[in-house]
Amino acid sequence: MKRRVRKIANFFAFNLLFFALYLNFIHKDKTAPAAQASTQSTAAFSGTTLVDNPDQYLKKNEASTAVVPRTEKSSESTSALKLSIN
């Protein structure tokens, strides 16, 4: 009798386990359209988004990427840095 009860209990436990896995990984909840719009507008981890006025940002980048002439001190400091790493 104990063996039969254990078989039935194991059967229901495995069914519950597979149902939980189905709900977690396969079944998709129906979401409201307002919730989808708010998640699509943020790009924290999903990639890049377009900017409203790209000219403003391009002018900032051109000013910040000015060319700096190299001097002898910079080559000396890089050689000291290379020696300190090795």
Side-chain angles (χ1 to χ4, degrees), residues 2 6 9 18 21-24 35 38 43 48-49 53 57-58 61 66 68 70 74 76 79 83 85:
K2 279 186 179 180
R6 283 188 179 175
F18 288 121
L21 291 173
Y22 165 75
L23 286 180
N24 277 333
S38 66
T48 58
T49 58
N53 46 1
Y57 294 102
L58 288 174
N61 287 340
V68 178
R70 294 190 91 186
S74 65
E76 290 173 2
S79 63
L83 290 174
I85 291 173

Side-chain angles (χ1 to χ4, degrees), residues 1-14:
M1 186 71 181
K2 279 186 179 180
R3 187 174 180 201
R4 184 178 290 172
V5 171
R6 283 188 179 175
K7 280 187 177 182
I8 293 171
N10 283 338
F11 175 75
F12 283 117
F14 276 112

Side-chain angles (χ1 to χ4, degrees), residues 40-73:
Q40 288 177 355
S41 64
T42 60
F45 299 105
S46 63
T48 58
T49 58
L50 294 176
V51 203
D52 292 335
N53 46 1
D55 295 333
Q56 178 184 8
Y57 294 102
L58 288 174
K59 289 177 186 175
K60 281 185 184 179
N61 287 340
E62 288 172 359
S64 66
T65 58
V67 177
V68 178
R70 294 190 91 186
T71 61
E72 289 298 320
K73 285 186 175 182

